[in-house]
Protein backbone atom coordinates (compact mmCIF):
# COMPACT_ATOMS: atom_id res chain seq x y z
CA UNK A 1 0.00 0.00 0.00
CA UNK A 2 2.86 2.35 0.83
CA UNK A 3 4.46 1.58 -2.54
CA UNK A 4 1.19 2.22 -4.32
CA UNK A 5 0.70 5.53 -2.50
CA UNK A 6 4.26 6.60 -3.31
CA UNK A 7 3.71 5.73 -6.95
CA UNK A 8 0.49 7.76 -7.04
CA UNK A 9 2.25 10.66 -5.33
CA UNK A 10 5.08 10.64 -7.90
CA UNK A 11 2.56 10.50 -10.74
CA UNK A 12 0.57 13.40 -9.25
CA UNK A 13 3.70 15.52 -8.88
CA UNK A 14 4.66 14.77 -12.47
CA UNK A 15 1.21 15.76 -13.70
CA UNK A 16 1.39 18.97 -11.68
CA UNK A 17 4.73 19.85 -13.29
CA UNK A 18 3.31 19.24 -16.75
CA UNK A 19 0.21 21.31 -16.00
CA UNK A 20 -0.04 24.87 -17.16
CA UNK A 21 -1.47 25.85 -13.80
CA UNK A 22 0.98 27.87 -11.77
CA UNK A 23 1.79 26.71 -8.24
CA UNK A 24 1.47 29.76 -6.06
CA UNK A 25 3.40 30.58 -2.95
CA UNK A 26 1.64 31.49 0.25
CA UNK A 27 2.39 35.19 -0.24
CA UNK A 28 1.04 35.50 -3.80
CA UNK A 29 -2.44 36.37 -4.99
CA UNK A 30 -4.29 33.79 -7.10
CA UNK A 31 -3.10 33.73 -10.71
CA UNK A 32 -4.69 36.48 -12.80
CA UNK A 33 -6.71 37.85 -9.87
CA UNK A 34 -6.52 41.18 -8.04
CA UNK A 35 -7.81 40.01 -4.66
CA UNK A 36 -5.46 38.83 -1.92
CA UNK A 37 -5.07 35.23 -0.89
CA UNK A 38 -6.93 35.85 2.37
CA UNK A 39 -9.87 37.43 0.53
CA UNK A 40 -9.85 34.58 -1.99
CA UNK A 41 -10.08 31.97 0.77
CA UNK A 42 -12.92 33.87 2.44
CA UNK A 43 -14.82 34.15 -0.86
CA UNK A 44 -14.40 30.46 -1.66
CA UNK A 45 -15.49 29.55 1.88
CA UNK A 46 -18.65 31.63 1.43
CA UNK A 47 -19.37 29.81 -1.83
CA UNK A 48 -18.96 26.45 -0.10
CA UNK A 49 -21.09 27.64 2.83
CA UNK A 50 -24.16 28.33 0.67
CA UNK A 51 -25.40 24.77 1.12
CA UNK A 52 -24.65 24.48 4.84
CA UNK A 53 -26.30 27.83 5.62
CA UNK A 54 -29.39 26.93 3.57
CA UNK A 55 -29.84 23.71 5.56
CA UNK A 56 -28.72 24.46 9.10
CA UNK A 57 -30.44 27.85 9.43
CA UNK A 58 -33.78 26.07 8.93
CA UNK A 59 -33.35 23.62 11.81
CA UNK A 60 -34.67 25.83 14.68
CA UNK A 61 -37.69 26.89 12.59
CA UNK A 62 -39.03 23.38 11.93
CA UNK A 63 -41.62 23.47 14.80
CA UNK A 64 -43.04 26.79 13.55
CA UNK A 65 -43.10 25.56 9.95
CA UNK A 66 -44.88 22.40 11.07
CA UNK A 67 -47.49 24.44 12.94
CA UNK A 68 -48.17 26.65 9.93
CA UNK A 69 -48.05 24.44 6.84
CA UNK A 70 -47.14 20.85 7.81
CA UNK A 71 -50.07 19.03 9.45
CA UNK A 72 -47.91 15.92 9.78
CA UNK A 73 -45.73 17.58 12.40
CA UNK A 74 -42.03 18.39 12.66
CA UNK A 75 -40.90 15.16 10.99
CA UNK A 76 -42.90 16.11 7.89
CA UNK A 77 -41.58 19.67 7.99
CA UNK A 78 -38.05 18.24 8.00
CA UNK A 79 -38.65 17.21 4.38
CA UNK A 80 -37.73 20.77 3.41
CA UNK A 81 -34.15 19.80 4.26
CA UNK A 82 -34.27 16.54 2.31
CA UNK A 83 -35.77 18.08 -0.82
CA UNK A 84 -33.19 20.85 -0.78
CA UNK A 85 -30.44 18.23 -0.71
CA UNK A 86 -32.07 16.29 -3.56
CA UNK A 87 -32.09 19.44 -5.70
CA UNK A 88 -28.50 20.13 -4.77
CA UNK A 89 -27.46 16.61 -5.70
CA UNK A 90 -29.13 16.79 -9.09
CA UNK A 91 -27.57 20.19 -9.75
CA UNK A 92 -24.13 18.90 -8.82
CA UNK A 93 -24.31 16.46 -11.73
CA UNK A 94 -24.75 19.28 -14.25
CA UNK A 95 -22.92 22.30 -12.82
CA UNK A 96 -19.43 20.80 -13.25
CA UNK A 97 -19.75 19.94 -16.96
CA UNK A 98 -21.55 23.23 -17.64
CA UNK A 99 -18.77 25.26 -16.01
CA UNK A 100 -16.18 23.27 -18.01
CA UNK A 101 -17.99 24.17 -21.23
CA UNK A 102 -19.11 27.78 -20.66
CA UNK A 103 -16.83 29.13 -17.93
CA UNK A 104 -17.05 29.50 -14.18
CA UNK A 105 -18.67 32.93 -13.84
CA UNK A 106 -21.73 32.39 -16.06
CA UNK A 107 -22.60 29.12 -14.33
CA UNK A 108 -22.22 30.74 -10.88
CA UNK A 109 -24.54 33.59 -11.89
CA UNK A 110 -27.12 31.14 -13.23
CA UNK A 111 -26.89 29.08 -10.05
CA UNK A 112 -27.36 32.11 -7.80
CA UNK A 113 -30.33 33.29 -9.89
CA UNK A 114 -32.02 29.88 -9.55
CA UNK A 115 -31.19 29.91 -5.83
CA UNK A 116 -32.85 33.33 -5.44
CA UNK A 117 -36.01 32.24 -7.29
CA UNK A 118 -36.25 29.15 -5.09
CA UNK A 119 -35.83 31.27 -1.95
CA UNK A 120 -38.62 33.67 -3.03
CA UNK A 121 -40.99 30.82 -3.85
CA UNK A 122 -40.24 29.18 -0.51
CA UNK A 123 -40.85 32.50 1.23
CA UNK A 124 -44.36 32.85 -0.19
CA UNK A 125 -45.34 29.16 -0.25
CA UNK A 126 -48.82 28.64 1.22
CA UNK A 127 -48.46 24.86 1.43
CA UNK A 128 -45.82 22.29 2.23
CA UNK A 129 -46.08 20.81 -1.27
CA UNK A 130 -45.22 24.12 -2.93
CA UNK A 131 -42.39 24.72 -0.48
CA UNK A 132 -40.86 21.31 -1.19
CA UNK A 133 -40.86 22.06 -4.92
CA UNK A 134 -39.32 25.47 -4.25
CA UNK A 135 -36.65 23.96 -2.02
CA UNK A 136 -35.68 21.53 -4.78
CA UNK A 137 -35.22 24.56 -7.03
CA UNK A 138 -33.22 26.37 -4.36
CA UNK A 139 -30.98 23.34 -3.87
CA UNK A 140 -30.46 23.10 -7.63
CA UNK A 141 -29.17 26.68 -7.62
CA UNK A 142 -27.06 26.21 -4.48
CA UNK A 143 -25.02 23.51 -6.21
CA UNK A 144 -23.60 26.21 -8.52
CA UNK A 145 -21.45 28.04 -5.92
CA UNK A 146 -20.26 24.76 -4.39
CA UNK A 147 -19.15 23.15 -7.66
CA UNK A 148 -17.80 26.35 -9.22
CA UNK A 149 -15.83 27.14 -6.05
CA UNK A 150 -14.05 23.80 -6.17
CA UNK A 151 -13.40 24.21 -9.91
CA UNK A 152 -11.91 27.69 -9.46
CA UNK A 153 -9.50 26.45 -6.79
CA UNK A 154 -8.49 23.68 -9.17
CA UNK A 155 -8.00 26.27 -11.96
CA UNK A 156 -5.75 28.58 -9.97
CA UNK A 157 -3.76 26.25 -7.72
CA UNK A 158 -1.98 22.92 -7.99
CA UNK A 159 -0.09 20.47 -5.82
CA UNK A 160 0.51 21.40 -2.19
CA UNK A 161 -0.75 24.94 -2.74
CA UNK A 162 -4.13 23.60 -3.79
CA UNK A 163 -4.28 21.27 -0.78
CA UNK A 164 -3.42 24.18 1.52
CA UNK A 165 -6.13 26.40 0.04
CA UNK A 166 -8.74 23.65 0.33
CA UNK A 167 -7.81 23.00 3.97
CA UNK A 168 -8.03 26.67 4.89
CA UNK A 169 -11.30 27.04 3.03
CA UNK A 170 -12.79 24.04 4.83
CA UNK A 171 -11.70 25.47 8.19
CA UNK A 172 -13.77 28.59 7.54
CA UNK A 173 -16.61 26.60 5.99
CA UNK A 174 -16.93 24.33 9.04
CA UNK A 175 -17.80 27.32 11.21
CA UNK A 176 -21.11 27.74 9.36
CA UNK A 177 -22.98 24.74 10.86
CA UNK A 178 -22.04 26.10 14.26
CA UNK A 179 -23.59 29.53 13.79
CA UNK A 180 -26.33 28.98 11.19
CA UNK A 181 -28.89 27.47 13.64
CA UNK A 182 -28.37 30.40 16.00
CA UNK A 183 -28.91 32.87 13.13
CA UNK A 184 -32.05 31.02 12.09
CA UNK A 185 -33.32 31.01 15.68
CA UNK A 186 -32.76 34.75 16.10
CA UNK A 187 -34.49 35.55 12.79
CA UNK A 188 -37.44 33.30 13.64
CA UNK A 189 -37.85 34.89 17.07
CA UNK A 190 -37.68 38.45 15.73
CA UNK A 191 -39.44 38.26 12.35
CA UNK A 192 -40.97 34.79 11.91
CA UNK A 193 -39.63 31.74 10.10
CA UNK A 194 -40.39 33.01 6.58
CA UNK A 195 -37.83 35.78 6.98
CA UNK A 196 -35.08 33.13 6.97
CA UNK A 197 -35.58 32.96 3.21
CA UNK A 198 -34.98 36.69 3.13
CA UNK A 199 -31.63 36.00 4.79
CA UNK A 200 -30.89 33.47 2.03
CA UNK A 201 -31.65 36.15 -0.58
CA UNK A 202 -29.33 38.60 1.15
CA UNK A 203 -26.61 35.94 1.38
CA UNK A 204 -26.89 35.21 -2.35
CA UNK A 205 -26.86 38.92 -3.25
CA UNK A 206 -23.71 39.57 -1.22
CA UNK A 207 -22.02 36.58 -2.85
CA UNK A 208 -23.08 37.75 -6.34
CA UNK A 209 -21.71 41.27 -5.80
CA UNK A 210 -18.52 40.12 -4.08
CA UNK A 211 -17.70 37.51 -6.68
CA UNK A 212 -18.74 39.68 -9.62
CA UNK A 213 -16.62 42.65 -8.62
CA UNK A 214 -13.54 40.86 -7.30
CA UNK A 215 -13.08 37.67 -9.34
CA UNK A 216 -12.08 37.30 -12.96
CA UNK A 217 -12.91 34.28 -15.11
CA UNK A 218 -10.49 31.52 -14.14
CA UNK A 219 -11.04 29.17 -17.11
CA UNK A 220 -9.71 30.50 -20.44
CA UNK A 221 -11.82 29.89 -23.53
CA UNK A 222 -9.15 27.72 -25.14
CA UNK A 223 -9.16 25.34 -22.15
CA UNK A 224 -12.90 24.74 -22.06
CA UNK A 225 -14.37 21.34 -22.94
CA UNK A 226 -17.52 20.92 -25.03
CA UNK A 227 -20.62 19.65 -23.27
CA UNK A 228 -21.35 16.15 -24.59
CA UNK A 229 -23.85 13.73 -23.12
CA UNK A 230 -21.83 10.80 -24.41
CA UNK A 231 -18.89 11.84 -22.22
CA UNK A 232 -21.09 12.07 -19.13
CA UNK A 233 -22.61 8.64 -19.78
CA UNK A 234 -19.18 7.12 -20.40
CA UNK A 235 -17.86 8.63 -17.16
CA UNK A 236 -20.72 7.04 -15.27
CA UNK A 237 -20.04 3.68 -16.91
CA UNK A 238 -16.34 3.79 -16.00
CA UNK A 239 -17.10 4.48 -12.36
CA UNK A 240 -19.74 1.78 -12.07
CA UNK A 241 -17.51 -0.96 -13.49
CA UNK A 242 -14.44 -0.03 -11.39
CA UNK A 243 -14.70 -2.09 -8.13
CA UNK A 244 -12.90 0.36 -5.82
CA UNK A 245 -14.81 3.35 -7.14
CA UNK A 246 -18.10 1.48 -6.96
CA UNK A 247 -17.54 0.41 -3.35
CA UNK A 248 -16.39 3.90 -2.38
CA UNK A 249 -19.53 5.49 -3.83
CA UNK A 250 -21.76 3.02 -1.95
CA UNK A 251 -19.99 3.65 1.36
CA UNK A 252 -20.07 7.41 0.75
CA UNK A 253 -23.82 7.13 0.12
CA UNK A 254 -24.22 5.39 3.49
CA UNK A 255 -22.25 8.17 5.19
CA UNK A 256 -24.39 10.83 3.50
CA UNK A 257 -27.50 8.94 4.64
CA UNK A 258 -26.25 9.15 8.22
CA UNK A 259 -25.52 12.85 7.89
CA UNK A 260 -28.90 13.69 6.35
CA UNK A 261 -30.75 11.48 8.85
CA UNK A 262 -29.20 13.50 11.66
CA UNK A 263 -30.13 16.78 10.00
CA UNK A 264 -33.77 15.74 9.57
CA UNK A 265 -34.23 14.11 12.99
CA UNK A 266 -31.98 16.07 15.34
CA UNK A 267 -34.31 19.03 16.00
CA UNK A 268 -37.39 16.89 16.78
CA UNK A 269 -35.27 14.74 19.12
CA UNK A 270 -34.06 17.79 21.05
CA UNK A 271 -37.64 19.11 21.21
CA UNK A 272 -39.65 15.97 21.98
CA UNK A 273 -37.25 13.50 23.60
CA UNK A 274 -35.26 15.97 25.72
CA UNK A 275 -37.49 19.09 25.90
CA UNK A 276 -34.60 21.33 24.88
CA UNK A 277 -36.03 23.10 21.83
CA UNK A 278 -34.97 26.55 23.12
CA UNK A 279 -31.35 25.59 23.64
CA UNK A 280 -31.08 23.39 20.53
CA UNK A 281 -29.20 25.96 18.37
CA UNK A 282 -26.49 26.27 21.01
CA UNK A 283 -26.07 22.52 21.51
CA UNK A 284 -25.98 21.84 17.78
CA UNK A 285 -23.63 24.74 17.15
CA UNK A 286 -21.18 23.53 19.77
CA UNK A 287 -21.28 19.96 18.46
CA UNK A 288 -20.74 21.08 14.85
CA UNK A 289 -17.94 23.49 15.71
CA UNK A 290 -15.98 20.99 17.81
CA UNK A 291 -16.48 18.12 15.38
CA UNK A 292 -15.08 20.32 12.62
CA UNK A 293 -11.67 19.61 14.09
CA UNK A 294 -11.89 16.15 12.51
CA UNK A 295 -11.05 17.66 9.12
CA UNK A 296 -7.86 19.14 10.54
CA UNK A 297 -6.98 15.82 12.17
CA UNK A 298 -7.62 13.99 8.93
CA UNK A 299 -5.37 16.35 6.98
CA UNK A 300 -2.58 15.84 9.53
CA UNK A 301 -2.60 12.03 9.66
CA UNK A 302 -3.99 10.77 6.33
CA UNK A 303 -0.54 10.84 4.73
CA UNK A 304 0.80 8.53 7.42
CA UNK A 305 -2.02 6.01 7.79
CA UNK A 306 -3.80 6.12 4.42
CA UNK A 307 -7.38 6.90 3.50
CA UNK A 308 -8.88 3.41 3.64
CA UNK A 309 -7.36 2.63 7.03
CA UNK A 310 -8.65 5.86 8.59
CA UNK A 311 -12.13 5.21 7.22
CA UNK A 312 -12.14 1.67 8.61
CA UNK A 313 -10.93 2.83 12.02
CA UNK A 314 -13.56 5.57 12.19
CA UNK A 315 -16.36 3.18 11.21
CA UNK A 316 -15.24 0.52 13.68
CA UNK A 317 -15.17 3.06 16.51
CA UNK A 318 -18.62 4.30 15.53
CA UNK A 319 -20.04 0.77 15.50
CA UNK A 320 -18.83 0.25 19.07
CA UNK A 321 -20.09 3.64 20.31
CA UNK A 322 -23.47 3.35 18.56
CA UNK A 323 -23.88 -0.24 19.75
CA UNK A 324 -23.24 0.84 23.33
CA UNK A 325 -25.66 3.75 22.96
CA UNK A 326 -28.41 1.49 21.59
CA UNK A 327 -28.02 -0.83 24.58
CA UNK A 328 -27.98 2.21 26.89
CA UNK A 329 -31.31 3.35 25.41
CA UNK A 330 -32.91 -0.10 25.41
CA UNK A 331 -32.26 -0.54 29.14
CA UNK A 332 -33.37 3.06 29.89
CA UNK A 333 -30.25 3.91 31.86
CA UNK A 334 -29.79 7.37 33.47
CA UNK A 335 -27.79 10.12 31.79
CA UNK A 336 -29.31 9.62 28.34
CA UNK A 337 -28.94 13.24 27.22
CA UNK A 338 -25.24 13.42 28.09
CA UNK A 339 -24.59 10.17 26.23
CA UNK A 340 -26.65 11.44 23.28
CA UNK A 341 -24.59 14.63 22.99
CA UNK A 342 -21.36 12.61 23.15
CA UNK A 343 -22.69 10.14 20.59
CA UNK A 344 -23.82 12.84 18.16
CA UNK A 345 -20.45 14.55 18.46
CA UNK A 346 -18.83 11.22 17.59
CA UNK A 347 -21.03 10.79 14.52
CA UNK A 348 -20.24 14.28 13.25
CA UNK A 349 -16.54 13.76 13.99
CA UNK A 350 -16.62 10.49 12.06
CA UNK A 351 -18.00 12.34 9.00
CA UNK A 352 -14.83 14.42 8.85
CA UNK A 353 -12.71 11.26 8.78
CA UNK A 354 -14.73 9.40 6.16
CA UNK A 355 -16.54 11.49 3.53
CA UNK A 356 -13.53 13.41 2.19
CA UNK A 357 -11.36 10.30 2.16
CA UNK A 358 -14.04 8.26 0.39
CA UNK A 359 -14.32 10.95 -2.25
CA UNK A 360 -10.54 10.92 -2.73
CA UNK A 361 -10.50 7.13 -3.08
CA UNK A 362 -13.21 7.29 -5.73
CA UNK A 363 -11.44 10.09 -7.61
CA UNK A 364 -7.96 8.53 -7.62
CA UNK A 365 -8.52 6.08 -10.53
CA UNK A 366 -10.59 8.66 -12.42
CA UNK A 367 -7.90 11.30 -12.97
CA UNK A 368 -8.47 11.32 -16.73
CA UNK A 369 -12.11 12.41 -16.20
CA UNK A 370 -11.66 14.24 -12.91
CA UNK A 371 -14.13 17.08 -13.46
CA UNK A 372 -16.89 14.84 -14.75
CA UNK A 373 -16.19 12.24 -12.06
CA UNK A 374 -16.43 14.84 -9.29
CA UNK A 375 -19.91 15.83 -10.46
CA UNK A 376 -21.15 12.27 -10.88
CA UNK A 377 -19.78 11.03 -7.54
CA UNK A 378 -21.14 14.04 -5.68
CA UNK A 379 -24.59 13.84 -7.26
CA UNK A 380 -25.00 10.07 -6.83
CA UNK A 381 -23.99 9.94 -3.17
CA UNK A 382 -25.94 13.08 -2.29
CA UNK A 383 -29.21 12.21 -4.01
CA UNK A 384 -29.25 8.56 -2.90
CA UNK A 385 -28.27 9.55 0.65
CA UNK A 386 -31.02 12.16 0.81
CA UNK A 387 -33.64 9.74 -0.52
CA UNK A 388 -32.64 7.00 1.94
CA UNK A 389 -32.65 9.48 4.84
CA UNK A 390 -36.09 10.69 3.81
CA UNK A 391 -37.46 7.14 3.80
CA UNK A 392 -35.91 6.49 7.22
CA UNK A 393 -37.27 9.70 8.76
CA UNK A 394 -40.76 9.04 7.38
CA UNK A 395 -40.74 5.38 8.46
CA UNK A 396 -39.52 5.85 12.02
CA UNK A 397 -40.39 8.29 14.77
CA UNK A 398 -37.72 10.88 15.54
CA UNK A 399 -36.33 9.21 18.66
CA UNK A 400 -32.74 8.72 19.87
CA UNK A 401 -33.13 4.94 19.52
CA UNK A 402 -34.31 5.16 15.90
CA UNK A 403 -31.47 7.49 14.96
CA UNK A 404 -28.80 5.51 16.81
CA UNK A 405 -30.08 2.28 15.29
CA UNK A 406 -29.91 3.80 11.80
CA UNK A 407 -26.32 4.90 12.34
CA UNK A 408 -25.35 1.50 13.76
CA UNK A 409 -26.77 -0.42 10.77
CA UNK A 410 -25.25 1.95 8.21
CA UNK A 411 -21.82 1.78 9.84
CA UNK A 412 -21.93 -2.01 10.09
CA UNK A 413 -22.70 -2.32 6.37
CA UNK A 414 -20.04 0.26 5.53
CA UNK A 415 -17.43 -1.60 7.60
CA UNK A 416 -18.12 -4.81 5.68
CA UNK A 417 -17.82 -2.95 2.38
CA UNK A 418 -14.49 -1.42 3.43
CA UNK A 419 -13.17 -4.92 4.15
CA UNK A 420 -14.26 -5.91 0.65
CA UNK A 421 -12.37 -2.88 -0.67
CA UNK A 422 -9.27 -3.99 1.20
CA UNK A 423 -9.42 -7.40 -0.49
CA UNK A 424 -9.89 -5.74 -3.88
CA UNK A 425 -6.79 -3.62 -3.28
CA UNK A 426 -4.76 -6.64 -2.17
CA UNK A 427 -5.85 -8.57 -5.28
CA UNK A 428 -4.97 -5.63 -7.51
CA UNK A 429 -1.53 -5.24 -5.94
CA UNK A 430 -0.88 -8.95 -6.28
Amino acid sequence: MVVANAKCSRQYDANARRSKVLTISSEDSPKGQNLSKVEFIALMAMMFATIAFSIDAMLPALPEIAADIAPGGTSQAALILTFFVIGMGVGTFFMGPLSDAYGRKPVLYIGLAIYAVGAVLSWISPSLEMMLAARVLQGLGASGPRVVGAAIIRDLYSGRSMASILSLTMMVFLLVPGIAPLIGDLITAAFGWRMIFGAFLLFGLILWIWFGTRMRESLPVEERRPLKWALMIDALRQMVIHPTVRLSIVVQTLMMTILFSILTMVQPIFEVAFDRADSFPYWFGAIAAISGLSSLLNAAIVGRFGMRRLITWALTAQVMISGAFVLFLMFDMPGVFAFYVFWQFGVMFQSGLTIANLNAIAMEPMGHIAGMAASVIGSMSTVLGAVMASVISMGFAATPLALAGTVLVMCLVATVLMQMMRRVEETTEA
Side-chain angles (χ1 to χ4, degrees), residues 17-216:
R17 288 193 296 270
R18 288 194 296 267
S19 174
K20 291 186 288 185
V21 179
L22 177 65
T23 301
I24 302 173
S25 68
S26 59
E27 291 79 14
D28 292 331
S29 297
K31 182 181 66 174
Q33 306 293 329
N34 291 327
L35 73 175
S36 67
K37 185 176 180 180
V38 172
E39 184 182 357
F40 176 76
I41 292 172
L43 178 55
M44 293 301 104
M46 186 174 183
M47 293 172 68
F48 284 18
T50 305
I51 291 173
F53 182 54
S54 301
I55 294 175
D56 296 327
M58 299 298 303
L59 293 175
L62 292 181
E64 286 77 8
I65 295 174
D68 287 350
I69 63 173
T74 304
S75 60
Q76 190 178 46
L79 289 175
I80 66 174
L81 310 177
T82 304
F83 276 68
F84 176 88
V85 173
I86 291 174
M88 183 265 293
V90 173
T92 301
F93 184 83
F94 297 101
M95 292 297 179
L98 285 172
S99 68
D100 286 343
Y102 301 109
R104 312 305 185 199
K105 297 191 75 169
V107 173
L108 176 69
Y109 294 149
I110 292 172
L112 287 176
I114 296 174
Y115 177 81
V117 172
V120 171
L121 292 177
S122 298
W123 195 346
I124 64 175
S125 293
S127 65
L128 180 63
E129 291 76 15
M130 180 177 175
M131 175 169 286
L132 294 180
R135 286 288 283 178
V136 170
L137 191 65
Q138 191 181 9
L140 185 68
S143 65
R146 176 63 180 86
V147 173
V148 170
I152 289 175
I153 294 175
R154 189 167 60 246
D155 291 338
L156 302 179
Y157 289 88
S158 65
R160 295 181 179 179
S161 296
M162 181 178 65
S164 175
I165 291 294
L166 283 171
S167 297
L168 293 171
T169 300
M170 290 305 296
M171 284 177 59
V172 180
F173 161 75
L174 288 171
L175 296 175
V176 175
I179 62 175
L182 180 58
I183 294 175
D185 186 55
L186 293 175
I187 293 175
T188 301
F191 306 104
W193 63 267
R194 291 186 182 272
M195 186 57 68
I196 296 177
F197 296 102
F200 295 158
L201 283 175
L202 179 61
F203 184 94
L205 178 61
I206 293 173
L207 181 55
W208 182 305
I209 295 174
W210 189 5
F211 183 90
T213 57
R214 299 295 292 166
M215 282 292 299
R216 297 174 181 173

Side-chain angles (χ1 to χ4, degrees), residues 371-401:
M372 199 77 68
S375 287
V376 172
I377 293 169
S379 62
M380 289 182 64
S381 61
T382 301
V383 171
L384 292 176
V387 171
M388 291 173 62
S390 177
V391 172
I392 291 169
S393 63
M394 294 296 292
F396 298 95
T399 64
L401 182 58

Side-chain angles (χ1 to χ4, degrees), residues 168-422:
L168 293 171
T169 300
M170 290 305 296
M171 284 177 59
V172 180
F173 161 75
L174 288 171
L175 296 175
V176 175
I179 62 175
L182 180 58
I183 294 175
D185 186 55
L186 293 175
I187 293 175
T188 301
F191 306 104
W193 63 267
R194 291 186 182 272
M195 186 57 68
I196 296 177
F197 296 102
F200 295 158
L201 283 175
L202 179 61
F203 184 94
L205 178 61
I206 293 173
L207 181 55
W208 182 305
I209 295 174
W210 189 5
F211 183 90
T213 57
R214 299 295 292 166
M215 282 292 299
R216 297 174 181 173
E217 176 59 56
S218 62
L219 185 65
V221 176
E222 62 272 13
E223 295 183 8
R224 297 177 187 177
R225 296 191 297 269
L227 184 65
K228 295 183 179 180
W229 286 103
L231 294 177
M232 299 175 67
I233 295 174
D234 183 64
L236 179 61
R237 181 192 63 82
Q238 292 186 49
M239 286 181 282
V240 169
I241 65 175
H242 195 291
T244 300
V245 176
R246 183 172 63 246
L247 288 169
S248 179
I249 292 175
V250 175
V251 177
Q252 188 171 345
T253 299
L254 295 174
M255 296 301 99
M256 297 302 288
T257 302
I258 290 174
L259 189 60
F260 296 146
S261 296
I262 286 181
L263 290 176
T264 54
M265 299 173 73
V266 62
Q267 200 284 333
I269 288 175
F270 267 85
E271 178 186 7
V272 178
F274 299 118
D275 193 24
R276 297 175 185 266
D278 294 338
S279 60
F280 162 72
Y282 304 98
W283 285 108
F284 187 80
I287 292 170
I290 297 174
S291 61
L293 296 174
S294 60
S295 294
L296 296 179
L297 176 63
N298 182 71
I301 65 177
V302 68
R304 178 179 179 183
F305 297 106
M307 295 173 289
R308 181 182 56 77
R309 187 177 296 177
L310 283 180
I311 296 168
T312 304
W313 288 350
L315 290 173
T316 303
Q318 189 54 243
V319 167
M320 293 188 293
I321 296 173
S322 294
F325 188 41
V326 168
L327 292 175
F328 195 88
L329 292 169
M330 292 177 63
F331 288 98
D332 195 22
M333 299 176 69
V336 172
F337 180 71
F339 201 158
Y340 175 77
V341 171
F342 170 76
W343 171 82
Q344 186 176 320
F345 162 73
V347 175
M348 300 287 285
F349 196 89
Q350 164 221 296
S351 297
L353 295 174
T354 55
I355 294 177
N357 289 332
L358 287 164
N359 190 66
I361 290 175
M363 287 293 295
E364 185 173 339
M366 300 287 111
H368 57 295
I369 51 171
M372 199 77 68
S375 287
V376 172
I377 293 169
S379 62
M380 289 182 64
S381 61
T382 301
V383 171
L384 292 176
V387 171
M388 291 173 62
S390 177
V391 172
I392 291 169
S393 63
M394 294 296 292
F396 298 95
T399 64
L401 182 58
L403 185 56
T406 297
V407 173
L408 177 59
V409 171
M410 296 291 170
C411 288
L412 278 171
V413 176
T415 303
V416 173
L417 293 176
M418 291 306 299
Q419 293 303 318
M420 294 174 60
M421 185 186 296
R422 178 181 62 83

